[in-house]
Amino acid sequence: MNRTIIDTRVIKIRTFLVFCTAFLIAMGCISLVNKDQEKREKLKAAYAAETTVSKVEAQLNKYLTESELMEKLIEERTEITDTEFSELSRLMQDENQVISAHELAKDGCISQVYPFEENKEAIGLDMLKDPERKAAANLAKDSGEYTLAGPYELVQGGVGALLFDPIYIEDSSGEEQFWGFSILVIDWDKFIAQTELSKLEDAGYSYQIWKKALDTDKKVVLAQCEKPKEKDKLEVACKVPNDTWYFEIAPVNGWITWLQKGFMILISLAIAALLAEGYLQIVLRRNKERVHEEELERAVEEARKASEAKSRFLFNMSHDIRTPMNAIIGFSELLEKHIDDREKVLKYTDRIKDSSSFLLSLINYVLEMARIESGEAELKMEVESFEELAESLQTVFEPEIQKKHLQYICTLKAEHPYVFCDRTKVREILLNIVNNSIKYTPEGGNITVDISEVYHSEEGHTFFKIVIADTGIGMSEEYLPHIFEEFTRERTSTESKVVGTGLGLSIVKSLVDLMGGTIKVESESGRGTQTTITLSFQAVPEEQIPEEPKDKKQQILHKLKGRRVLLAEDNELNAEIAMELLRENGVEAERVEDGVECVKLLQRKPEGYYDLILMDIQMPNMDGYNATQVIRKLDGPRGQIPVIAMTANAFEEDRQKAFEAGMNAHIAKPVDMRILFSTMAEIMDEHTELIQQTLYENKGGAKC
């Protein structure tokens, strides 16, 4: 029965999906419960709001009743004396003194007021023309209805609302004519106190009362708690004379509290975690059973292969040891018989040396393989130069290359040629592969060795790719899967006429694995072989780099020390890194966040204050291109200051655009500080020479 083993990554993904699904379902169920609770909370809040609205309406109805008395008296008599007005107003005063004043405004202009002394400043105020009050007054006049307006800053002092009662009287023809207003001045603070809004805060509610301005339709806040909520509020409309107030209310802690929400999430997470864990355990148990079955089958297969390998190893060892031993013994006997024949003695001696050398290499390879397979092989890390390594390869194989008239080309492309590595093992890898290429490439053939650095990480590790290609006899497609097996050769020494042990590539593969690298061999019979190796090394710190490159860096840093640089960079993280690195290396750096600030600061500072500008391209307000173009239009040294683009726009067209805008250089992000410092030093040197040449010409030097 075929039982598929599920990959660990797939198990994790499925478990995560179970967790997410369970979490969403649990959250959905709990959300339904919370919605019901939110509905109940909103009903309670609506009741509290409507109770407050009822208090407001009751207060206003009481004041309307009092205002009607004054209206009826004037309608009956047309005129009312100051004494009668004062007496009637006194009788209409409420015990809480919410109504702070009574006013009569004939033809809209206040003519009588009670109490007089406290409110005499209001006499003569024309309600139909006053900028703040005319909208409400005209609305009351035109509609003939009570109108509540305000609150206003009263001319007699304090804050109050005005209750306009428009009065109409019949003229001699029986038509109604506008007489004026009976106005109640309501003390706003006392009015609000009567509504007991503070009790809402005590009950844990946030509230706000507002209306729309009659003339502008804008929101006017009439009353609110200390910190009204901006979202998720319940709104209740409150009808007031000739206007509408809006009452917004919400619990301070929300319809569902943060504690409840947190508890809801924790419960959902717990349920989801339990279900996911249960699913995970079931799948892992089933998978473990499947893995165990596979391991048993694999163990049986490996035991069979090990038995075959053991037999093959003994056969190959017997054959490869007996072959040179047979030659040594045979030529030794011939040497003994022809001891007096100098020419034959030399010939037999060479044969014995060759066979002894082969036997020794075979023993060395077997010992090397034994060390690797036993885990005793260790890496001895040293500073190695790939340039020296490339030169040493050519030195070792130069005689054989010349003897076979081979064309040998070795190239090196590395930004960090100095690395920490096991020098001996790296050389052994390369020597084995290049030696195979030389052995199996016919006379006049080609061999190329290409060493290139392909990636350098921030952790200080660098990756090299080594490609060795030849135009030799190649290998068949059927043999390629076996090239790294011990004692395996596609052709015997008799067939290929090349002496070998069949252990070289096996050792190479083991050493590459030991270093954590990869090796790939591509080949075709009659068309040569290409071997690609990738290895990761730790880059050598600057203090351990050979003196000549280090001295050059010191020279660059010496040139930059004390120079003033302006950095235009809107990204905080990029700016922080750049500023820190500049200052650590002795550069006096300042920073602005966009092109506009860059130009302004450059104009504010004295001429020649900054030595160079590092300009980002994509910035708000003004980008780096436009900023550079503006700078180039400035007079004097300011317009000639060097500008280096330091940007993530790294394509060739971006580079060309930077030069067209007037920039002196283009550095792509992520920035290699060594390249940046080198470019800065070079650009500033060129700028200094240009200034000196200009000064020389201005003094007449060019005419001499």
Side-chain angles (χ1 to χ4, degrees), residues 223-249:
Q224 64 181 17
C225 62
E226 185 177 351
K227 293 181 179 179
K229 295 192 72 172
E230 296 295 328
K231 296 180 180 178
D232 200 18
K233 301 168 289 188
L234 180 68
E235 185 178 276
V236 179
C238 173
K239 286 291 181 182
V240 298
N242 224 5
D243 202 356
T244 302
W245 290 357
Y246 299 92
F247 193 102
E248 294 178 345
I249 186 170

PDB file of all heavy atoms in Angstrom, residues 223-249:
ATOM      1  N   ALA A 223     -22.902  71.936  24.033  1.00  0.00           N
ATOM      2  CA  ALA A 223     -22.411  71.407  25.313  1.00  0.00           C
ATOM      3  C   ALA A 223     -21.772  70.054  25.047  1.00  0.00           C
ATOM      4  O   ALA A 223     -22.188  69.325  24.141  1.00  0.00           O
ATOM      5  CB  ALA A 223     -23.545  71.279  26.326  1.00  0.00           C
ATOM      6  N   GLN A 224     -20.746  69.718  25.861  1.00  0.00           N
ATOM      7  CA  GLN A 224     -20.095  68.427  25.688  1.00  0.00           C
ATOM      8  C   GLN A 224     -19.314  68.066  26.947  1.00  0.00           C
ATOM      9  O   GLN A 224     -19.028  68.930  27.788  1.00  0.00           O
ATOM     10  CB  GLN A 224     -19.157  68.440  24.483  1.00  0.00           C
ATOM     11  CG  GLN A 224     -17.983  69.397  24.615  1.00  0.00           C
ATOM     12  CD  GLN A 224     -17.100  69.400  23.378  1.00  0.00           C
ATOM     13  OE1 GLN A 224     -17.497  68.950  22.333  1.00  0.00           O
ATOM     14  NE2 GLN A 224     -15.895  69.941  23.518  1.00  0.00           N
ATOM     15  N   CYS A 225     -18.972  66.792  27.067  1.00  0.00           N
ATOM     16  CA  CYS A 225     -18.163  66.351  28.189  1.00  0.00           C
ATOM     17  C   CYS A 225     -16.706  66.748  27.935  1.00  0.00           C
ATOM     18  O   CYS A 225     -16.387  67.343  26.912  1.00  0.00           O
ATOM     19  CB  CYS A 225     -18.289  64.840  28.382  1.00  0.00           C
ATOM     20  SG  CYS A 225     -17.691  63.896  26.964  1.00  0.00           S
ATOM     21  N   GLU A 226     -15.836  66.390  28.864  1.00  0.00           N
ATOM     22  CA  GLU A 226     -14.444  66.821  28.752  1.00  0.00           C
ATOM     23  C   GLU A 226     -13.767  66.226  27.524  1.00  0.00           C
ATOM     24  O   GLU A 226     -13.037  66.910  26.807  1.00  0.00           O
ATOM     25  CB  GLU A 226     -13.678  66.408  30.016  1.00  0.00           C
ATOM     26  CG  GLU A 226     -12.249  66.923  30.045  1.00  0.00           C
ATOM     27  CD  GLU A 226     -11.530  66.575  31.336  1.00  0.00           C
ATOM     28  OE1 GLU A 226     -12.200  66.089  32.264  1.00  0.00           O
ATOM     29  OE2 GLU A 226     -10.313  66.804  31.401  1.00  0.00           O
ATOM     30  N   LYS A 227     -14.001  64.959  27.243  1.00  0.00           N
ATOM     31  CA  LYS A 227     -13.382  64.307  26.086  1.00  0.00           C
ATOM     32  C   LYS A 227     -14.446  63.536  25.307  1.00  0.00           C
ATOM     33  O   LYS A 227     -14.609  62.334  25.475  1.00  0.00           O
ATOM     34  CB  LYS A 227     -12.276  63.346  26.533  1.00  0.00           C
ATOM     35  CG  LYS A 227     -11.080  64.037  27.154  1.00  0.00           C
ATOM     36  CD  LYS A 227     -10.018  63.018  27.540  1.00  0.00           C
ATOM     37  CE  LYS A 227      -8.794  63.702  28.151  1.00  0.00           C
ATOM     38  NZ  LYS A 227      -7.763  62.723  28.555  1.00  0.00           N
ATOM     39  N   PRO A 228     -15.184  64.234  24.425  1.00  0.00           N
ATOM     40  CA  PRO A 228     -16.221  63.531  23.648  1.00  0.00           C
ATOM     41  C   PRO A 228     -15.610  62.568  22.647  1.00  0.00           C
ATOM     42  O   PRO A 228     -14.549  62.826  22.085  1.00  0.00           O
ATOM     43  CB  PRO A 228     -16.948  64.686  22.938  1.00  0.00           C
ATOM     44  CG  PRO A 228     -15.941  65.783  22.857  1.00  0.00           C
ATOM     45  CD  PRO A 228     -15.113  65.671  24.102  1.00  0.00           C
ATOM     46  N   LYS A 229     -16.281  61.451  22.423  1.00  0.00           N
ATOM     47  CA  LYS A 229     -15.797  60.460  21.467  1.00  0.00           C
ATOM     48  C   LYS A 229     -16.099  60.921  20.049  1.00  0.00           C
ATOM     49  O   LYS A 229     -17.104  61.574  19.781  1.00  0.00           O
ATOM     50  CB  LYS A 229     -16.451  59.098  21.727  1.00  0.00           C
ATOM     51  CG  LYS A 229     -16.086  58.484  23.069  1.00  0.00           C
ATOM     52  CD  LYS A 229     -16.513  57.037  23.151  1.00  0.00           C
ATOM     53  CE  LYS A 229     -15.650  56.159  22.287  1.00  0.00           C
ATOM     54  NZ  LYS A 229     -15.916  54.733  22.473  1.00  0.00           N
ATOM     55  N   GLU A 230     -15.187  60.559  19.124  1.00  0.00           N
ATOM     56  CA  GLU A 230     -15.336  60.993  17.739  1.00  0.00           C
ATOM     57  C   GLU A 230     -16.034  59.941  16.871  1.00  0.00           C
ATOM     58  O   GLU A 230     -16.593  60.270  15.833  1.00  0.00           O
ATOM     59  CB  GLU A 230     -13.961  61.313  17.141  1.00  0.00           C
ATOM     60  CG  GLU A 230     -13.247  62.481  17.800  1.00  0.00           C
ATOM     61  CD  GLU A 230     -13.973  63.796  17.605  1.00  0.00           C
ATOM     62  OE1 GLU A 230     -14.614  63.970  16.545  1.00  0.00           O
ATOM     63  OE2 GLU A 230     -13.926  64.637  18.514  1.00  0.00           O
ATOM     64  N   LYS A 231     -16.028  58.687  17.307  1.00  0.00           N
ATOM     65  CA  LYS A 231     -16.566  57.620  16.470  1.00  0.00           C
ATOM     66  C   LYS A 231     -17.539  56.744  17.258  1.00  0.00           C
ATOM     67  O   LYS A 231     -17.544  56.745  18.482  1.00  0.00           O
ATOM     68  CB  LYS A 231     -15.425  56.750  15.918  1.00  0.00           C
ATOM     69  CG  LYS A 231     -14.471  57.498  14.987  1.00  0.00           C
ATOM     70  CD  LYS A 231     -13.375  56.568  14.491  1.00  0.00           C
ATOM     71  CE  LYS A 231     -12.397  57.287  13.558  1.00  0.00           C
ATOM     72  NZ  LYS A 231     -11.316  56.396  13.108  1.00  0.00           N
ATOM     73  N   ASP A 232     -18.333  55.978  16.480  1.00  0.00           N
ATOM     74  CA  ASP A 232     -19.239  54.975  17.052  1.00  0.00           C
ATOM     75  C   ASP A 232     -20.151  55.581  18.112  1.00  0.00           C
ATOM     76  O   ASP A 232     -20.226  55.098  19.238  1.00  0.00           O
ATOM     77  CB  ASP A 232     -18.417  53.808  17.632  1.00  0.00           C
ATOM     78  CG  ASP A 232     -19.262  52.553  17.782  1.00  0.00           C
ATOM     79  OD1 ASP A 232     -20.326  52.491  17.149  1.00  0.00           O
ATOM     80  OD2 ASP A 232     -18.857  51.657  18.549  1.00  0.00           O
ATOM     81  N   LYS A 233     -20.863  56.665  17.724  1.00  0.00           N
ATOM     82  CA  LYS A 233     -21.756  57.354  18.664  1.00  0.00           C
ATOM     83  C   LYS A 233     -23.211  57.098  18.277  1.00  0.00           C
ATOM     84  O   LYS A 233     -23.530  56.861  17.121  1.00  0.00           O
ATOM     85  CB  LYS A 233     -21.478  58.860  18.647  1.00  0.00           C
ATOM     86  CG  LYS A 233     -20.052  59.231  19.007  1.00  0.00           C
ATOM     87  CD  LYS A 233     -19.763  60.680  18.699  1.00  0.00           C
ATOM     88  CE  LYS A 233     -19.695  60.922  17.214  1.00  0.00           C
ATOM     89  NZ  LYS A 233     -19.235  62.277  16.863  1.00  0.00           N
ATOM     90  N   LEU A 234     -24.095  57.207  19.284  1.00  0.00           N
ATOM     91  CA  LEU A 234     -25.531  57.106  19.072  1.00  0.00           C
ATOM     92  C   LEU A 234     -26.092  58.521  19.039  1.00  0.00           C
ATOM     93  O   LEU A 234     -25.804  59.331  19.920  1.00  0.00           O
ATOM     94  CB  LEU A 234     -26.177  56.294  20.200  1.00  0.00           C
ATOM     95  CG  LEU A 234     -27.690  56.100  20.107  1.00  0.00           C
ATOM     96  CD1 LEU A 234     -28.028  55.203  18.923  1.00  0.00           C
ATOM     97  CD2 LEU A 234     -28.219  55.486  21.392  1.00  0.00           C
ATOM     98  N   GLU A 235     -26.895  58.838  18.010  1.00  0.00           N
ATOM     99  CA  GLU A 235     -27.400  60.204  17.846  1.00  0.00           C
ATOM    100  C   GLU A 235     -28.906  60.243  18.063  1.00  0.00           C
ATOM    101  O   GLU A 235     -29.644  59.439  17.502  1.00  0.00           O
ATOM    102  CB  GLU A 235     -27.046  60.723  16.459  1.00  0.00           C
ATOM    103  CG  GLU A 235     -27.416  62.183  16.239  1.00  0.00           C
ATOM    104  CD  GLU A 235     -26.998  62.684  14.871  1.00  0.00           C
ATOM    105  OE1 GLU A 235     -25.822  63.073  14.734  1.00  0.00           O
ATOM    106  OE2 GLU A 235     -27.842  62.665  13.940  1.00  0.00           O
ATOM    107  N   VAL A 236     -29.363  61.220  18.899  1.00  0.00           N
ATOM    108  CA  VAL A 236     -30.788  61.427  19.176  1.00  0.00           C
ATOM    109  C   VAL A 236     -31.111  62.874  18.861  1.00  0.00           C
ATOM    110  O   VAL A 236     -30.422  63.791  19.328  1.00  0.00           O
ATOM    111  CB  VAL A 236     -31.124  61.114  20.648  1.00  0.00           C
ATOM    112  CG1 VAL A 236     -32.595  61.368  20.920  1.00  0.00           C
ATOM    113  CG2 VAL A 236     -30.768  59.669  20.976  1.00  0.00           C
ATOM    114  N   ALA A 237     -32.167  63.103  18.047  1.00  0.00           N
ATOM    115  CA  ALA A 237     -32.561  64.468  17.685  1.00  0.00           C
ATOM    116  C   ALA A 237     -33.470  65.048  18.761  1.00  0.00           C
ATOM    117  O   ALA A 237     -34.328  64.363  19.322  1.00  0.00           O
ATOM    118  CB  ALA A 237     -33.263  64.474  16.339  1.00  0.00           C
ATOM    119  N   CYS A 238     -33.273  66.336  19.046  1.00  0.00           N
ATOM    120  CA  CYS A 238     -34.063  67.028  20.077  1.00  0.00           C
ATOM    121  C   CYS A 238     -34.683  68.267  19.431  1.00  0.00           C
ATOM    122  O   CYS A 238     -33.968  69.171  18.992  1.00  0.00           O
ATOM    123  CB  CYS A 238     -33.165  67.415  21.248  1.00  0.00           C
ATOM    124  SG  CYS A 238     -33.980  68.450  22.484  1.00  0.00           S
ATOM    125  N   LYS A 239     -36.016  68.307  19.332  1.00  0.00           N
ATOM    126  CA  LYS A 239     -36.706  69.440  18.739  1.00  0.00           C
ATOM    127  C   LYS A 239     -36.781  70.590  19.739  1.00  0.00           C
ATOM    128  O   LYS A 239     -37.265  70.435  20.859  1.00  0.00           O
ATOM    129  CB  LYS A 239     -38.123  69.047  18.312  1.00  0.00           C
ATOM    130  CG  LYS A 239     -38.176  68.188  17.065  1.00  0.00           C
ATOM    131  CD  LYS A 239     -37.754  68.984  15.851  1.00  0.00           C
ATOM    132  CE  LYS A 239     -37.832  68.136  14.590  1.00  0.00           C
ATOM    133  NZ  LYS A 239     -37.370  68.891  13.417  1.00  0.00           N
ATOM    134  N   VAL A 240     -36.304  71.757  19.328  1.00  0.00           N
ATOM    135  CA  VAL A 240     -36.417  72.994  20.120  1.00  0.00           C
ATOM    136  C   VAL A 240     -37.143  74.005  19.238  1.00  0.00           C
ATOM    137  O   VAL A 240     -37.277  73.798  18.030  1.00  0.00           O
ATOM    138  CB  VAL A 240     -35.025  73.522  20.528  1.00  0.00           C
ATOM    139  CG1 VAL A 240     -34.308  72.518  21.398  1.00  0.00           C
ATOM    140  CG2 VAL A 240     -34.175  73.853  19.316  1.00  0.00           C
ATOM    141  N   PRO A 241     -37.646  75.099  19.821  1.00  0.00           N
ATOM    142  CA  PRO A 241     -38.424  76.061  19.019  1.00  0.00           C
ATOM    143  C   PRO A 241     -37.703  76.506  17.754  1.00  0.00           C
ATOM    144  O   PRO A 241     -36.646  77.112  17.812  1.00  0.00           O
ATOM    145  CB  PRO A 241     -38.619  77.227  19.997  1.00  0.00           C
ATOM    146  CG  PRO A 241     -38.639  76.585  21.336  1.00  0.00           C
ATOM    147  CD  PRO A 241     -37.631  75.487  21.244  1.00  0.00           C
ATOM    148  N   ASN A 242     -38.315  76.113  16.622  1.00  0.00           N
ATOM    149  CA  ASN A 242     -37.843  76.518  15.291  1.00  0.00           C
ATOM    150  C   ASN A 242     -36.414  76.048  14.998  1.00  0.00           C
ATOM    151  O   ASN A 242     -35.712  76.659  14.203  1.00  0.00           O
ATOM    152  CB  ASN A 242     -37.919  78.037  15.133  1.00  0.00           C
ATOM    153  CG  ASN A 242     -38.490  78.411  13.767  1.00  0.00           C
ATOM    154  OD1 ASN A 242     -38.901  77.560  12.991  1.00  0.00           O
ATOM    155  ND2 ASN A 242     -38.520  79.700  13.470  1.00  0.00           N
ATOM    156  N   ASP A 243     -35.968  74.954  15.613  1.00  0.00           N
ATOM    157  CA  ASP A 243     -34.617  74.449  15.400  1.00  0.00           C
ATOM    158  C   ASP A 243     -34.545  72.999  15.871  1.00  0.00           C
ATOM    159  O   ASP A 243     -35.496  72.473  16.470  1.00  0.00           O
ATOM    160  CB  ASP A 243     -33.598  75.304  16.163  1.00  0.00           C
ATOM    161  CG  ASP A 243     -32.192  75.177  15.577  1.00  0.00           C
ATOM    162  OD1 ASP A 243     -32.006  74.377  14.652  1.00  0.00           O
ATOM    163  OD2 ASP A 243     -31.290  75.883  16.052  1.00  0.00           O
ATOM    164  N   THR A 244     -33.417  72.354  15.583  1.00  0.00           N
ATOM    165  CA  THR A 244     -33.182  70.975  16.029  1.00  0.00           C
ATOM    166  C   THR A 244     -31.796  70.885  16.640  1.00  0.00           C
ATOM    167  O   THR A 244     -30.816  71.360  16.052  1.00  0.00           O
ATOM    168  CB  THR A 244     -33.280  69.985  14.852  1.00  0.00           C
ATOM    169  OG1 THR A 244     -34.566  70.092  14.245  1.00  0.00           O
ATOM    170  CG2 THR A 244     -33.063  68.553  15.326  1.00  0.00           C
ATOM    171  N   TRP A 245     -31.740  70.299  17.823  1.00  0.00           N
ATOM    172  CA  TRP A 245     -30.455  69.994  18.444  1.00  0.00           C
ATOM    173  C   TRP A 245     -30.196  68.496  18.282  1.00  0.00           C
ATOM    174  O   TRP A 245     -31.125  67.693  18.264  1.00  0.00           O
ATOM    175  CB  TRP A 245     -30.453  70.350  19.935  1.00  0.00           C
ATOM    176  CG  TRP A 245     -30.476  71.825  20.200  1.00  0.00           C
ATOM    177  CD1 TRP A 245     -30.451  72.822  19.295  1.00  0.00           C
ATOM    178  CD2 TRP A 245     -30.555  72.445  21.488  1.00  0.00           C
ATOM    179  NE1 TRP A 245     -30.505  74.051  19.907  1.00  0.00           N
ATOM    180  CE2 TRP A 245     -30.550  73.850  21.278  1.00  0.00           C
ATOM    181  CE3 TRP A 245     -30.615  71.994  22.800  1.00  0.00           C
ATOM    182  CZ2 TRP A 245     -30.614  74.771  22.309  1.00  0.00           C
ATOM    183  CZ3 TRP A 245     -30.669  72.887  23.831  1.00  0.00           C
ATOM    184  CH2 TRP A 245     -30.673  74.281  23.590  1.00  0.00           C
ATOM    185  N   TYR A 246     -28.927  68.155  18.197  1.00  0.00           N
ATOM    186  CA  TYR A 246     -28.546  66.748  18.044  1.00  0.00           C
ATOM    187  C   TYR A 246     -27.758  66.315  19.274  1.00  0.00           C
ATOM    188  O   TYR A 246     -26.786  66.962  19.665  1.00  0.00           O
ATOM    189  CB  TYR A 246     -27.722  66.549  16.776  1.00  0.00           C
ATOM    190  CG  TYR A 246     -28.487  66.916  15.531  1.00  0.00           C
ATOM    191  CD1 TYR A 246     -28.408  68.207  15.000  1.00  0.00           C
ATOM    192  CD2 TYR A 246     -29.309  65.987  14.911  1.00  0.00           C
ATOM    193  CE1 TYR A 246     -29.124  68.559  13.873  1.00  0.00           C
ATOM    194  CE2 TYR A 246     -30.026  66.327  13.772  1.00  0.00           C
ATOM    195  CZ  TYR A 246     -29.943  67.619  13.257  1.00  0.00           C
ATOM    196  OH  TYR A 246     -30.650  67.962  12.142  1.00  0.00           O
ATOM    197  N   PHE A 247     -28.202  65.211  19.861  1.00  0.00           N
ATOM    198  CA  PHE A 247     -27.606  64.711  21.098  1.00  0.00           C
ATOM    199  C   PHE A 247     -26.847  63.427  20.748  1.00  0.00           C
ATOM    200  O   PHE A 247     -27.449  62.442  20.338  1.00  0.00           O
ATOM    201  CB  PHE A 247     -28.716  64.433  22.112  1.00  0.00           C
ATOM    202  CG  PHE A 247     -28.203  64.203  23.511  1.00  0.00           C
ATOM    203  CD1 PHE A 247     -28.279  65.198  24.463  1.00  0.00           C
ATOM    204  CD2 PHE A 247     -27.649  62.994  23.869  1.00  0.00           C
ATOM    205  CE1 PHE A 247     -27.825  64.996  25.742  1.00  0.00           C
ATOM    206  CE2 PHE A 247     -27.191  62.781  25.144  1.00  0.00           C
ATOM    207  CZ  PHE A 247     -27.269  63.785  26.094  1.00  0.00           C
ATOM    208  N   GLU A 248     -25.512  63.452  20.879  1.00  0.00           N
ATOM    209  CA  GLU A 248     -24.675  62.286  20.590  1.00  0.00           C
ATOM    210  C   GLU A 248     -24.158  61.706  21.900  1.00  0.00           C
ATOM    211  O   GLU A 248     -23.628  62.444  22.741  1.00  0.00           O
ATOM    212  CB  GLU A 248     -23.499  62.676  19.685  1.00  0.00           C
ATOM    213  CG  GLU A 248     -23.939  63.099  18.299  1.00  0.00           C
ATOM    214  CD  GLU A 248     -22.774  63.518  17.425  1.00  0.00           C
ATOM    215  OE1 GLU A 248     -21.677  63.739  17.991  1.00  0.00           O
ATOM    216  OE2 GLU A 248     -22.955  63.635  16.202  1.00  0.00           O
ATOM    217  N   ILE A 249     -24.274  60.386  22.034  1.00  0.00           N
ATOM    218  CA  ILE A 249     -23.888  59.732  23.293  1.00  0.00           C
ATOM    219  C   ILE A 249     -23.216  58.402  22.991  1.00  0.00           C
ATOM    220  O   ILE A 249     -23.544  57.724  22.008  1.00  0.00           O
ATOM    221  CB  ILE A 249     -25.138  59.538  24.199  1.00  0.00           C
ATOM    222  CG1 ILE A 249     -24.740  58.991  25.573  1.00  0.00           C
ATOM    223  CG2 ILE A 249     -26.160  58.641  23.534  1.00  0.00           C
ATOM    224  CD1 ILE A 249     -25.877  58.993  26.579  1.00  0.00           C
TER     225      ILE A 249
END
